[in-house]
């Protein structure tokens, strides 16, 4: 509707989805934005690795039993139940899932080529600090190899054994944070890429009001497509990252995983006396979340306006 109003001259300026903006004759219209592209990526819920509350009235108290470890899901590492082997296996599975996604194709097909690829959430690959060392190049063959290299002792769901992954195949769902058609389409694309390598996949699309209790209660086990609070390309490199990936926000919003290392790195960024100290901690945070494959990015969508020349 906004596209039609802009074309007919009923309005002079409008915010459009990139796929609609691609239909405009850009000799007659101009795109304008403040650089605030919104990042969309995967957050692997259920990896709750802190043992005590980091803040609030319960600070220092032991956390309640973690429901996400009841079933041994391939992408969730349980340090207490299975030790280092399970942590490494789950990390390898998460890396395989990240490598199976063709980010360039997502940008071209869903964002009309107007966005840019995101490899690790909260970090822009266009920033001068980006070295290219933390990328997830599209490699479905390597994704399959990583999954096949694991001991398939995890819960597989109803996954069949007649595909390319055989007995290593498993069932996985991806949730699109409600309220955004773009996230719905990205989640559907992710499910398709995962199906292509031999996994049984489902794209879940329902209201965020239904999903939020699992976010607050830290019971969600679905990977989900979201910006997770701070996914903006315009945020400074040294911007404190990771608050919503710690127990500091228990009782409220969280990305679905918690880590004592992230807690330490967030604290160092937030309390840094200058940008150099904050940048050093941000670089360590980037190394950490990439090493453990906790929040692979997918694409950044420009928050653009279009006006009639």
């Amino acid at each position: 509707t906004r596209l039609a109003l802009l074309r007919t001259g009923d309005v002079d300026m409008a915010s459009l989805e990139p796929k609609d903006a691609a239909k405009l004759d850009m000799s007659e219209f101009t795109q304008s934005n403040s650089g605030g592209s919104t990042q969309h990526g995967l957050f692997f819920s259920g990896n709750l690795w802190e043992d005590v509350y980091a803040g609030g009235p319960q600070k220092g108290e032991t956390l309640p039993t973690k429901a996400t470890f009841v079933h041994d899901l391939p992408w969730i590492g349980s340090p207490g139940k299975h030790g280092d082997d399970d942590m490494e296996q789950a990390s390898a599975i998460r890396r395989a899932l990240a490598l199976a996604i063709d980010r360039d194709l997502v940008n071209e097909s869903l964002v009309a080529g107007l966005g840019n690829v995101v490899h690790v959430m909260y970090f822009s690959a266009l920033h001068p600090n980006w070295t290219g060392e933390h990328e997830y190049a599209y490699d479905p063959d390597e994704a399959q190899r990583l999954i096949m290299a694991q001991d398939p002792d995890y819960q597989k769901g109803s996954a069949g054994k007649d595909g390319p992954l055989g007995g290593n195949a498993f069932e996985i769902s991806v949730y699109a944070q409600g309220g955004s058609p773009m996230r719905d389409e990205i989640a559907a694309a992710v499910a398709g890429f995962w199906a292509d390598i031999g996994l049984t996949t489902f794209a879940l699309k329902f209201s965020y009001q239904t999903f939020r209790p699992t976010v607050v209660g830290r019971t969600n086990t679905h990977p989900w497509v979201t910006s997770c609070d701070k996914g903006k390309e315009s945020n400074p490199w040294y911007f404190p990252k990771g608050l919503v990936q710690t127990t500091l926000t228990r009782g409220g919003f969280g990305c679905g995983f918690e880590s004592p290392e992230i807690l330490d790195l967030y604290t160092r960024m937030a309390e840094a006396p200058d940008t150099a100290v904050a940048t050093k901690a941000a670089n360590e945070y980037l190394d950490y979340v990439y090493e453990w494959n906790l929040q692979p990015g997918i694409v950044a969508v420009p928050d653009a306006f279009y006006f009639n020349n």
Side-chain angles (χ1 to χ4, degrees):
T1 301
R2 288 189 296 240
L3 174 64
L5 290 169
L6 190 63
R7 277 173 158 170
T8 59
D10 287 279
V11 300
D12 299 319
M13 188 178 202
S15 173
L16 302 177
E17 292 280 354
K19 62 182 180 180
D20 291 326
K23 302 170 185 175
L24 290 174
D25 179 350
M26 294 310 291
S27 66
E28 299 178 11
F29 297 87
T30 296
Q31 175 182 298
S32 177
N33 70 78
S34 60
S37 297
T38 300
Q39 296 179 337
H40 301 278
L42 279 171
F43 288 78
F44 285 100
S45 295
N47 289 285
L48 306 175
W49 300 338
E50 289 185 68
D51 294 319
V52 298
Y53 286 95
Q58 295 172 287
K59 183 176 181 178
E61 294 182 14
T62 302
L63 290 165
T65 301
K66 300 166 185 174
T68 62
F69 295 148
V70 171
H71 303 291
D72 186 5
L73 298 176
W75 57 93
I76 296 178
S78 175
K81 186 176 181 181
H82 301 289
D84 291 342
D85 289 346
D86 192 66
M87 292 286 282
E88 295 290 344
Q89 174 177 276
S91 181
I93 292 290
R94 293 192 296 271
R95 180 167 180 78
L97 294 171
L99 293 175
I101 300 168
D102 188 339
R103 290 161 179 78
D104 289 315
L105 182 58
V106 170
N107 183 35
E108 292 168 12
S109 300
L110 303 184
V111 197
L114 298 173
N116 54 279
V117 163
V118 180
H119 291 281
V120 180
M121 287 298 292
Y122 303 163
F123 292 92
S124 173
L126 302 179
H127 195 281
N129 287 356
W130 184 261
T131 64
E133 298 174 8
H134 303 85
E135 297 187 354
Y136 293 103
Y138 176 53
D139 193 341
D141 292 335
E142 176 64 7
Q144 289 178 324
R145 189 198 68 77
L146 280 169
I147 294 173
M148 291 297 292
Q150 308 308 312
D151 176 11
D153 58 353
Y154 41 72
Q155 179 172 302
K156 301 178 179 63
S158 60
K161 299 181 180 180
D162 54 350
L165 297 176
N168 284 53
F170 53 86
E171 180 181 299
I172 185 170
S173 299
V174 56
Y175 170 68
Q177 185 176 354
S180 168
M182 179 59 66
R183 283 194 292 263
D184 286 347
E185 293 182 11
I186 293 171
V190 168
F193 288 128
W194 289 350
D196 285 346
I197 65 170
L199 299 176
T200 302
T201 64
F202 303 91
L204 306 176
K205 302 173 185 179
F206 49 83
S207 73
Y208 180 62
Q209 288 84 348
T210 303
F211 184 74
R212 182 173 169 81
T214 71
V215 172
V216 175
R218 306 306 198 259
T219 57
N220 176 44
T221 57
H222 298 299
W224 56 318
V225 173
T226 176
S227 301
C228 217
D229 199 32
K230 296 292 186 268
K232 285 287 186 179
E233 289 276 290
S234 55
N235 281 343
W237 190 271
Y238 54 81
F239 190 92
K241 302 167 176 66
L243 172 63
V244 285
Q245 296 154 359
T246 73
T247 56
L248 287 172
T249 61
R250 281 267 175 155
F253 180 83
C255 292
F257 58 82
E258 298 167 339
S259 164
E261 285 80 5
I262 291 178
L263 173 64
D264 175 64
L265 291 166
Y266 165 75
T267 303
R268 287 168 54 194
M269 282 181 269
E271 297 178 354
D274 55 48
T275 58
V277 174
T279 297
K280 183 177 185 298
N283 288 336
E284 292 180 37
Y285 172 91
L286 172 58
D287 289 339
Y288 178 80
V289 294
Y290 179 75
E291 176 187 358
W292 289 100
N293 307 294
L294 289 168
Q295 54 191 57
I298 301 173
V299 69
V301 180
D303 298 335
F305 286 83
Y306 299 83
F307 60 84
N308 188 317
N309 296 342

